[in-house]
Amino acid sequence: MEDRKLTVRAVERALDILLCFTQDSDLGLTEIASKIDLHKSTVHRLLATLEEKGFLIRNPATEKYRLGIRIWELSTHLPAFDESAAVLLPSMERLRDRLGETVSLYLRDGIERVRIQAVQSQQAIRRVAQIGARLPLSVGASSKVLAAYAPPEVLRELLESSEWPDYVEKNVYKDQLNEIIRLGYATSFEERESGAAAVAVPVTGRSGNVIAALSLSGPVSRLSRDTLVEYAAILKEAASEMGMMIP
């Protein structure tokens, strides 16, 4: 019975920590400990667990925490999505209506990407994008965009991962990332799905950091390499406007 009480207490404390972020977006250890009236050593252990599970992200430069990707994933099962994703939805719909293909928005979580918003193509033959889907960073246009602008330690972890696909040559992959930074976009042809092509661009927030990848995807029968390069310029313009809407 005592163990059960301790477990419940730990859950309550972890939830109290998450609730601290309803009023502040970035909080340090001391601030959180003060808000929930707990010793910093206890809060530090809980923060480490929440960070490991993806519910919080720690900024190494400021030692402050903010909500993590798992919150986005949970929110996809609610009637209304996260405010930021909802704010960007009209822009994504306009992009879909203009180009006629499925438009998606991805965030990076470690060495994976998570689709936090999507607008499906209205054409009979289309690529269906499931919100909340978690995908590796090793293949795909959006994956390579997020990897290209990720910190060096993330790229090292990705390349050393035991789940790295054997058919992807690491040197070729690294060359592709350098090319993405030079061009400002990435393309893919049947890298992850047979018959599918995509183009993706980075979304840079007002802070100047790349915070997401905006992509357009559809069947290879409609999306040739020349078409994707043409669409890349349009996505860049849309991504620039979207980046001004979020921090």
XYZ file of all heavy atoms in Angstrom, residues 141-235:
722
model
N 11.983 13.640 -47.481
C 12.348 15.042 -47.638
C 12.279 15.799 -46.316
O 13.206 16.528 -45.956
C 11.432 15.696 -48.678
N 11.191 15.639 -45.572
C 11.050 16.344 -44.298
C 12.102 15.890 -43.295
O 12.635 16.705 -42.528
C 9.651 16.117 -43.719
O 8.666 16.687 -44.548
N 12.388 14.591 -43.285
C 13.404 14.058 -42.380
C 14.755 14.721 -42.635
O 15.446 15.148 -41.702
C 13.534 12.547 -42.548
O 12.395 11.878 -42.061
N 15.115 14.829 -43.897
C 16.429 15.378 -44.225
C 16.511 16.879 -43.963
O 17.565 17.393 -43.591
C 16.780 15.044 -45.677
C 17.110 13.558 -45.865
C 17.537 13.227 -47.279
C 16.374 13.239 -48.243
N 16.755 12.729 -49.583
N 15.389 17.570 -44.112
C 15.373 18.991 -43.762
C 15.621 19.164 -42.268
O 16.438 19.978 -41.842
C 14.038 19.643 -44.164
C 13.836 20.974 -43.437
C 13.982 19.870 -45.662
N 14.905 18.401 -41.447
C 15.062 18.507 -39.995
C 16.458 18.068 -39.557
O 17.033 18.651 -38.631
C 13.993 17.673 -39.304
C 12.555 18.193 -39.465
C 11.559 17.201 -38.891
C 12.388 19.552 -38.808
N 17.011 17.059 -40.209
C 18.362 16.600 -39.869
C 19.413 17.621 -40.288
O 20.410 17.828 -39.595
C 18.636 15.254 -40.533
N 19.198 18.260 -41.434
C 20.170 19.230 -41.948
C 20.361 20.406 -40.996
O 21.468 20.944 -40.882
C 19.727 19.730 -43.319
N 19.293 20.797 -40.313
C 19.353 21.960 -39.426
C 19.401 21.575 -37.952
O 19.272 22.437 -37.080
C 18.164 22.879 -39.697
C 18.192 23.505 -41.073
C 17.538 22.906 -42.146
C 18.903 24.682 -41.311
C 17.574 23.467 -43.418
C 18.947 25.255 -42.578
C 18.276 24.636 -43.627
O 18.321 25.192 -44.882
N 19.597 20.298 -37.671
C 19.679 19.835 -36.286
C 21.077 20.066 -35.732
O 22.055 20.194 -36.484
C 19.324 18.348 -36.211
N 21.232 20.097 -34.402
C 22.561 20.239 -33.803
C 23.462 19.067 -34.186
O 22.975 17.965 -34.475
C 22.259 20.228 -32.295
C 20.838 20.666 -32.179
C 20.153 20.118 -33.395
N 24.777 19.262 -34.205
C 25.719 18.207 -34.605
C 25.566 16.917 -33.805
O 25.702 15.820 -34.352
C 27.089 18.847 -34.365
C 26.842 20.309 -34.456
C 25.472 20.538 -33.912
N 25.277 17.033 -32.497
C 25.142 15.831 -31.678
C 23.946 14.974 -32.095
O 23.953 13.754 -31.959
C 25.041 16.189 -30.193
C 23.865 17.070 -29.817
C 24.195 18.554 -29.864
O 25.172 18.919 -30.561
O 23.472 19.329 -29.218
N 22.909 15.613 -32.629
C 21.743 14.868 -33.107
C 22.118 14.071 -34.347
O 21.742 12.899 -34.490
C 20.566 15.819 -33.416
C 19.418 15.058 -34.088
C 20.076 16.485 -32.143
N 22.858 14.699 -35.246
C 23.283 14.000 -36.462
C 24.186 12.827 -36.117
O 24.064 11.746 -36.712
C 23.993 14.969 -37.405
C 24.440 14.387 -38.752
C 23.258 13.803 -39.504
C 25.142 15.457 -39.588
N 25.087 13.012 -35.151
C 25.954 11.903 -34.745
C 25.128 10.747 -34.190
O 25.377 9.579 -34.524
C 26.962 12.384 -33.698
C 28.093 13.234 -34.254
C 29.234 13.340 -33.259
N 28.807 13.996 -32.025
C 28.877 15.310 -31.840
N 29.345 16.099 -32.784
N 28.491 15.824 -30.677
N 24.169 11.060 -33.347
C 23.317 10.010 -32.782
C 22.543 9.292 -33.875
O 22.391 8.061 -33.846
C 22.346 10.625 -31.772
C 21.430 9.596 -31.118
C 20.420 10.213 -30.165
O 20.459 11.449 -29.970
O 19.573 9.471 -29.632
N 22.061 10.052 -34.846
C 21.300 9.468 -35.952
C 22.168 8.511 -36.765
O 21.756 7.374 -37.044
C 20.762 10.590 -36.839
C 20.052 10.168 -38.130
C 18.790 9.366 -37.811
C 19.700 11.398 -38.963
N 23.356 8.936 -37.128
C 24.231 8.120 -37.969
C 24.748 6.886 -37.236
O 25.063 5.872 -37.865
C 25.408 8.956 -38.474
C 25.041 10.098 -39.430
C 26.264 10.962 -39.713
C 24.460 9.558 -40.726
N 24.825 6.967 -35.908
C 25.308 5.836 -35.117
C 24.183 4.944 -34.613
O 24.446 3.941 -33.939
C 26.109 6.367 -33.919
C 27.396 7.082 -34.327
C 28.062 7.787 -33.160
O 27.516 7.675 -32.026
O 29.102 8.446 -33.358
N 22.953 5.283 -34.934
C 21.812 4.520 -34.454
C 21.805 3.102 -35.024
O 22.133 2.875 -36.199
C 20.505 5.222 -34.848
O 19.384 4.402 -34.571
N 21.416 2.152 -34.191
C 21.335 0.756 -34.631
C 20.198 0.545 -35.625
O 20.147 -0.481 -36.308
C 21.130 -0.162 -33.410
O 19.931 0.179 -32.729
N 19.297 1.502 -35.710
C 18.148 1.392 -36.616
C 18.397 2.083 -37.956
O 17.484 2.204 -38.770
C 16.904 1.974 -35.945
C 16.496 1.214 -34.680
C 15.228 1.753 -34.064
O 14.629 2.680 -34.648
O 14.822 1.249 -33.006
N 19.621 2.560 -38.176
C 19.942 3.183 -39.460
C 19.766 2.160 -40.581
O 20.305 1.060 -40.511
C 21.378 3.715 -39.461
C 21.748 4.384 -40.752
C 22.321 3.801 -41.844
C 21.524 5.745 -41.087
N 22.487 4.721 -42.848
C 22.002 5.923 -42.408
C 20.972 6.844 -40.410
C 21.934 7.162 -43.058
C 20.914 8.071 -41.055
C 21.389 8.214 -42.367
N 19.007 2.494 -41.644
C 18.757 1.530 -42.727
C 20.021 1.217 -43.527
O 20.759 2.132 -43.895
C 17.702 2.241 -43.586
C 17.869 3.694 -43.282
C 18.288 3.771 -41.847
N 20.246 -0.052 -43.793
C 21.451 -0.487 -44.504
C 21.526 0.065 -45.922
O 22.628 0.254 -46.456
C 21.505 -2.022 -44.550
C 21.683 -2.633 -43.163
O 22.218 -1.932 -42.275
O 21.267 -3.791 -42.962
N 20.369 0.335 -46.530
C 20.369 0.749 -47.932
C 20.684 2.243 -48.109
O 20.821 2.715 -49.244
C 19.031 0.422 -48.593
C 17.832 1.118 -47.976
C 17.432 2.384 -48.401
C 17.101 0.506 -46.962
C 16.350 3.017 -47.838
C 16.012 1.132 -46.389
C 15.629 2.385 -46.835
O 14.549 3.009 -46.266
N 20.799 2.985 -47.024
C 21.129 4.416 -47.106
C 22.605 4.615 -46.788
O 23.049 4.349 -45.670
C 20.271 5.256 -46.127
C 20.657 6.733 -46.216
C 18.789 5.068 -46.425
N 23.388 5.058 -47.766
C 24.809 5.293 -47.559
C 25.008 6.572 -46.765
O 24.527 7.639 -47.146
C 25.526 5.384 -48.901
C 25.511 4.091 -49.701
C 26.339 4.192 -50.965
O 27.240 5.080 -51.015
O 26.110 3.413 -51.897
N 25.734 6.480 -45.670
C 25.876 7.619 -44.760
C 26.598 8.801 -45.406
O 26.220 9.955 -45.183
C 26.601 7.173 -43.488
C 25.798 6.170 -42.666
C 26.528 5.760 -41.390
C 25.686 4.764 -40.594
N 26.363 4.338 -39.337
N 27.622 8.541 -46.183
C 28.344 9.645 -46.826
C 27.457 10.370 -47.833
O 27.497 11.608 -47.929
C 29.608 9.128 -47.519
C 30.690 8.742 -46.524
O 30.738 9.258 -45.410
N 31.557 7.828 -46.922
N 26.660 9.608 -48.555
C 25.727 10.213 -49.510
C 24.693 11.039 -48.762
O 24.344 12.157 -49.159
C 25.022 9.129 -50.354
C 23.921 9.745 -51.220
C 26.030 8.401 -51.223
N 24.220 10.505 -47.648
C 23.228 11.189 -46.831
C 23.781 12.524 -46.324
O 23.109 13.564 -46.403
C 22.835 10.289 -45.663
C 21.798 10.873 -44.723
C 20.441 10.773 -45.009
C 22.180 11.502 -43.540
C 19.481 11.295 -44.146
C 21.234 12.022 -42.672
C 19.891 11.914 -42.977
O 18.949 12.429 -42.120
N 25.013 12.523 -45.827
C 25.613 13.758 -45.307
C 25.808 14.779 -46.424
O 25.623 15.984 -46.214
C 26.945 13.446 -44.618
C 26.755 12.735 -43.276
C 28.066 12.604 -42.510
C 28.958 11.543 -43.093
N 30.160 11.289 -42.233
N 26.160 14.311 -47.614
C 26.277 15.219 -48.759
C 24.918 15.838 -49.093
O 24.836 17.024 -49.448
C 26.822 14.481 -49.982
C 28.300 14.120 -49.844
O 28.972 14.734 -48.989
O 28.755 13.226 -50.581
N 23.865 15.035 -48.977
C 22.524 15.539 -49.238
C 22.134 16.633 -48.247
O 21.513 17.635 -48.624
C 21.509 14.395 -49.175
C 21.611 13.413 -50.319
C 20.662 12.239 -50.143
O 20.221 11.921 -49.042
N 20.349 11.575 -51.252
N 22.522 16.461 -46.986
C 22.199 17.464 -45.978
C 22.907 18.789 -46.280
O 22.319 19.865 -46.126
C 22.591 16.971 -44.582
C 21.901 15.702 -44.062
C 22.236 15.498 -42.586
C 20.399 15.754 -44.273
N 24.150 18.713 -46.713
C 24.871 19.932 -47.083
C 24.210 20.623 -48.267
O 24.134 21.855 -48.319
C 26.330 19.594 -47.423
C 27.130 19.163 -46.203
O 26.853 19.586 -45.088
N 28.111 18.311 -46.422
N 23.733 19.832 -49.203
C 23.050 20.384 -50.377
C 21.728 21.034 -49.979
O 21.337 22.066 -50.534
C 22.821 19.277 -51.408
C 22.232 19.743 -52.734
C 23.243 20.519 -53.584
O 24.381 20.745 -53.126
O 22.874 20.884 -54.711
N 21.051 20.448 -49.010
C 19.779 21.009 -48.533
C 19.997 22.387 -47.918
O 19.229 23.320 -48.159
C 19.130 20.057 -47.509
C 18.608 18.805 -48.217
C 17.976 20.740 -46.769
C 18.253 17.678 -47.283
N 21.051 22.519 -47.135
C 21.354 23.814 -46.525
C 21.681 24.840 -47.610
O 21.295 26.016 -47.519
C 22.517 23.683 -45.532
C 22.088 22.813 -44.337
C 22.990 25.050 -45.065
C 23.189 22.522 -43.352
N 22.362 24.409 -48.660
C 22.717 25.322 -49.754
C 21.486 25.758 -50.534
O 21.330 26.942 -50.849
C 23.720 24.649 -50.694
C 24.267 25.573 -51.787
C 25.232 24.848 -52.698
N 24.560 23.897 -53.580
C 23.971 24.226 -54.735
N 23.981 25.493 -55.141
N 23.404 23.309 -55.478
N 20.598 24.799 -50.821
C 19.426 25.089 -51.651
C 18.229 25.616 -50.848
O 17.403 26.359 -51.376
C 18.994 23.823 -52.402
C 19.986 23.246 -53.412
C 19.464 21.928 -53.967
C 20.250 24.241 -54.539
N 18.136 25.181 -49.592
C 16.993 25.590 -48.775
C 15.779 24.706 -48.926
O 14.688 25.056 -48.466
N 15.945 23.529 -49.544
C 14.844 22.582 -49.657
C 15.387 21.181 -49.896
O 16.560 21.001 -50.219
C 13.887 22.971 -50.785
C 14.465 22.851 -52.184
C 14.404 21.648 -52.891
C 15.079 23.940 -52.804
C 14.935 21.529 -54.171
C 15.620 23.839 -54.073
C 15.538 22.625 -54.749
O 16.078 22.504 -56.018
N 14.492 20.176 -49.725
C 14.857 18.778 -49.981
C 13.762 18.113 -50.796
O 12.588 18.480 -50.693
C 15.044 18.025 -48.665
N 14.145 17.150 -51.592
C 13.175 16.358 -52.346
C 13.411 14.874 -52.081
O 14.498 14.473 -51.664
C 13.291 16.613 -53.870
O 14.613 16.248 -54.301
C 13.022 18.071 -54.195
N 12.389 14.084 -52.312
C 12.533 12.627 -52.186
C 11.622 11.941 -53.193
O 10.516 12.421 -53.482
C 12.191 12.162 -50.765
O 10.837 12.408 -50.461
N 12.108 10.820 -53.716
C 11.344 10.024 -54.677
C 11.342 8.576 -54.225
O 12.376 7.906 -54.263
C 11.952 10.138 -56.082
C 11.807 11.505 -56.693
C 12.737 12.487 -56.432
C 10.723 11.806 -57.508
C 12.613 13.748 -56.978
C 10.591 13.065 -58.058
C 11.532 14.046 -57.792
N 10.203 8.134 -53.740
C 10.013 6.744 -53.312
C 11.068 6.311 -52.292
O 11.480 5.157 -52.271
C 10.022 5.811 -54.527
C 8.900 6.106 -55.510
C 8.829 5.109 -56.655
O 9.820 4.991 -57.399
O 7.789 4.441 -56.790
N 11.503 7.213 -51.446
C 12.488 6.860 -50.421
C 11.849 6.070 -49.288
O 12.454 5.147 -48.756
C 13.140 8.128 -49.862
C 14.103 8.780 -50.819
C 14.858 9.923 -50.169
O 14.767 10.070 -48.933
O 15.545 10.669 -50.892
N 10.654 6.471 -48.904
C 9.986 5.807 -47.789
C 8.767 5.021 -48.235
O 8.453 3.992 -47.668
C 9.578 6.839 -46.728
C 9.254 6.245 -45.371
C 8.964 7.323 -44.347
N 7.786 8.107 -44.698
C 6.530 7.714 -44.434
N 6.304 6.580 -43.839
N 5.517 8.478 -44.780
N 8.084 5.527 -49.252
C 6.888 4.866 -49.765
C 6.990 4.711 -51.273
O 7.335 5.665 -51.978
C 5.632 5.668 -49.424
C 5.339 5.787 -47.941
C 4.078 6.598 -47.678
O 3.259 6.733 -48.615
O 3.913 7.096 -46.559
N 6.664 3.538 -51.762
C 6.671 3.295 -53.197
C 5.605 4.162 -53.872
O 4.469 4.238 -53.412
C 6.388 1.816 -53.479
O 6.305 1.572 -54.862
N 5.994 4.839 -54.953
C 5.046 5.650 -55.713
C 4.825 7.042 -55.174
O 4.017 7.800 -55.718
N 5.530 7.431 -54.095
C 5.325 8.743 -53.475
C 6.543 9.632 -53.657
O 7.683 9.166 -53.617
C 5.009 8.596 -52.000
N 6.294 10.918 -53.850
C 7.356 11.912 -53.961
C 7.014 13.077 -53.044
O 5.848 13.293 -52.698
C 7.495 12.391 -55.402
N 8.037 13.837 -52.646
C 7.786 14.942 -51.728
C 8.864 16.001 -51.861
O 9.984 15.738 -52.312
C 7.738 14.441 -50.283
N 8.514 17.220 -51.443
C 9.456 18.318 -51.329
C 9.196 18.969 -49.977
O 8.053 19.069 -49.538
C 9.294 19.339 -52.485
C 7.878 19.896 -52.547
C 10.318 20.470 -52.341
N 10.254 19.384 -49.292
C 10.112 19.968 -47.959
C 11.068 21.137 -47.788
O 12.150 21.167 -48.388
C 10.383 18.918 -46.880
N 10.645 22.085 -46.942
C 11.471 23.262 -46.652
C 11.460 23.512 -45.149
O 10.525 23.093 -44.449
C 10.938 24.523 -47.380
C 10.949 24.313 -48.882
C 9.535 24.878 -46.892
N 12.474 24.183 -44.617
C 12.483 24.500 -43.187
C 11.545 25.654 -42.860
O 11.354 26.557 -43.681
C 13.940 24.876 -42.929
C 14.420 25.414 -44.237
C 13.709 24.603 -45.293
N 10.975 25.606 -41.663
C 10.178 26.717 -41.143
C 10.981 27.338 -40.006
O 11.270 26.670 -39.009
C 8.810 26.250 -40.621
C 8.028 27.432 -40.040
C 8.011 25.577 -41.732
N 11.355 28.581 -40.174
C 12.168 29.280 -39.183
C 11.299 30.222 -38.365
O 10.588 31.059 -38.925
C 13.293 30.080 -39.865
O 14.077 29.193 -40.675
C 14.184 30.749 -38.836
N 11.348 30.065 -37.037
C 10.546 30.905 -36.162
C 11.150 32.285 -35.989
O 12.236 32.578 -36.504
N 10.457 33.131 -35.250
C 10.942 34.498 -35.028
C 12.264 34.506 -34.266
O 13.005 35.489 -34.310
C 9.879 35.312 -34.275
C 8.612 35.560 -35.100
C 7.763 36.642 -34.482
N 7.266 36.282 -33.163
C 6.123 35.672 -32.930
N 5.349 35.326 -33.956
N 5.727 35.403 -31.701
N 12.556 33.406 -33.570
C 13.818 33.312 -32.831
C 15.009 33.102 -33.756
O 16.156 33.233 -33.347
C 13.750 32.149 -31.837
O 13.596 30.915 -32.529
N 14.735 32.760 -35.011
C 15.806 32.497 -35.965
C 16.197 31.036 -36.068
O 17.060 30.677 -36.869
N 15.567 30.182 -35.261
C 15.859 28.749 -35.290
C 14.861 28.004 -36.170
O 13.686 28.379 -36.237
C 15.805 28.163 -33.874
C 16.867 28.769 -32.973
O 18.001 28.994 -33.396
N 16.503 29.035 -31.731
N 15.341 26.955 -36.832
C 14.444 26.088 -37.603
C 13.637 25.260 -36.618
O 14.198 24.514 -35.812
C 15.233 25.179 -38.561
C 14.308 24.154 -39.211
C 15.928 26.016 -39.628
N 12.330 25.393 -36.669
C 11.478 24.737 -35.688
C 10.606 23.647 -36.287
O 10.021 22.845 -35.555
C 10.577 25.758 -34.976
C 9.797 26.564 -36.010
C 11.401 26.675 -34.091
C 8.839 27.557 -35.411
N 10.511 23.606 -37.615
C 9.639 22.617 -38.244
C 10.035 22.432 -39.697
O 10.871 23.168 -40.241
C 8.173 23.058 -38.137
N 9.426 21.427 -40.317
C 9.589 21.201 -41.752
C 8.210 21.200 -42.393
O 7.297 20.527 -41.910
C 10.295 19.873 -42.020
N 8.068 21.969 -43.444
C 6.815 22.039 -44.199
C 6.999 21.230 -45.474
O 7.962 21.447 -46.208
C 6.488 23.491 -44.532
C 5.259 23.750 -45.417
C 3.971 23.379 -44.686
C 5.230 25.217 -45.859
N 6.090 20.298 -45.737
C 6.269 19.442 -46.912
C 5.005 19.363 -47.750
O 3.891 19.584 -47.266
C 6.680 18.030 -46.490
O 5.560 17.282 -46.057
N 5.229 19.030 -49.007
C 4.146 18.731 -49.944
C 4.449 17.377 -50.549
O 5.578 17.121 -50.977
C 4.066 19.809 -51.021
C 2.993 19.600 -52.096
C 2.289 20.920 -52.412
C 3.620 19.025 -53.368
N 3.467 16.489 -50.569
C 3.708 15.135 -51.066
C 2.539 14.650 -51.916
O 1.412 15.118 -51.776
C 3.925 14.163 -49.901
O 2.798 14.161 -49.038
N 2.849 13.697 -52.788
C 1.834 13.136 -53.674
C 2.424 12.038 -54.528
O 3.587 11.642 -54.337
N 1.674 11.540 -55.495
C 2.165 10.450 -56.347
C 3.226 10.926 -57.325
O 3.198 12.074 -57.786
C 0.896 9.990 -57.082
C 0.013 11.191 -57.094
C 0.273 11.900 -55.801
N 4.165 10.042 -57.643
C 5.246 10.396 -58.569
C 4.699 10.688 -59.970
O 5.352 11.369 -60.754
C 6.298 9.269 -58.637
C 7.024 9.127 -57.308
C 5.651 7.943 -59.026
N 3.505 10.214 -60.265
C 2.908 10.466 -61.582
C 2.592 11.943 -61.786
O 2.511 12.412 -62.922
C 1.632 9.637 -61.744
O 0.689 9.950 -60.732
N 2.418 12.683 -60.678
C 2.126 14.120 -60.786
C 3.301 14.984 -60.354
O 3.366 16.165 -60.709
C 0.903 14.485 -59.932
C -0.412 13.949 -60.445
C -1.594 14.699 -59.846
N -1.660 14.622 -58.393
C -2.375 13.740 -57.708
N -3.101 12.842 -58.373
N -2.387 13.733 -56.400
N 4.200 14.424 -59.558
C 5.300 15.212 -59.004
C 6.637 14.773 -59.596
O 7.338 13.930 -59.050
C 5.321 15.074 -57.479
C 4.094 15.630 -56.748
C 4.212 15.390 -55.251
C 3.922 17.117 -57.036
N 6.992 15.365 -60.718
C 8.287 15.093 -61.326
C 9.349 15.889 -60.569
O 9.047 16.761 -59.754
C 8.287 15.511 -62.794
O 8.160 16.924 -62.889
N 10.616 15.627 -60.865
C 11.692 16.367 -60.211
C 11.613 17.853 -60.537
O 11.831 18.706 -59.667
C 13.052 15.785 -60.625
C 13.258 14.361 -60.152
C 14.630 13.834 -60.519
N 14.779 12.428 -60.143
C 15.140 12.005 -58.941
N 15.421 12.890 -58.002
N 15.243 10.719 -58.680
N 11.309 18.184 -61.779
C 11.191 19.588 -62.163
C 10.024 20.249 -61.443
O 10.115 21.418 -61.030
C 11.003 19.714 -63.681
C 12.268 19.368 -64.456
O 13.359 19.392 -63.841
O 12.164 19.065 -65.658
N 8.924 19.507 -61.286
C 7.762 20.061 -60.589
C 8.077 20.335 -59.132
O 7.689 21.370 -58.578
C 6.572 19.086 -60.683
O 6.236 18.885 -62.058
C 5.348 19.643 -59.953
N 8.795 19.424 -58.491
C 9.145 19.612 -57.088
C 10.052 20.825 -56.896
O 9.912 21.561 -55.908
C 9.817 18.357 -56.536
C 8.920 17.124 -56.362
C 9.698 15.998 -55.695
C 7.680 17.450 -55.549
N 10.981 21.026 -57.801
C 11.859 22.199 -57.709
C 11.030 23.476 -57.867
O 11.240 24.466 -57.152
C 12.965 22.143 -58.780
C 13.749 23.449 -58.815
C 13.903 20.969 -58.505
N 10.065 23.445 -58.762
C 9.176 24.599 -58.949
C 8.351 24.859 -57.689
O 8.209 26.001 -57.245
C 8.255 24.333 -60.140
C 7.229 25.429 -60.379
C 6.248 25.055 -61.480
O 6.515 24.101 -62.228
O 5.196 25.728 -61.560
N 7.834 23.792 -57.095
C 7.010 23.927 -55.896
C 7.836 24.343 -54.672
O 7.305 24.931 -53.734
C 6.290 22.610 -55.606
C 5.128 22.316 -56.525
C 4.415 21.120 -56.424
C 4.741 23.225 -57.498
C 3.334 20.851 -57.252
C 3.675 22.954 -58.351
C 2.975 21.759 -58.224
O 1.913 21.490 -59.046
N 9.128 24.033 -54.693
C 9.980 24.382 -53.558
C 9.972 25.882 -53.311
O 9.938 26.339 -52.153
C 11.403 23.885 -53.792
N 10.002 26.670 -54.369
C 9.989 28.121 -54.231
C 8.692 28.599 -53.590
O 8.691 29.529 -52.770
C 10.183 28.772 -55.601
N 7.597 27.958 -53.930
C 6.292 28.325 -53.367
C 6.225 27.936 -51.900
O 5.709 28.687 -51.061
C 5.162 27.648 -54.174
C 5.212 28.110 -55.633
C 3.802 27.956 -53.552
C 4.246 27.383 -56.547
N 6.770 26.759 -51.561
C 6.796 26.333 -50.162
C 7.676 27.251 -49.325
O 7.350 27.541 -48.162
C 7.294 24.889 -50.063
C 6.214 23.812 -49.889
C 5.384 23.692 -51.170
C 6.831 22.464 -49.545
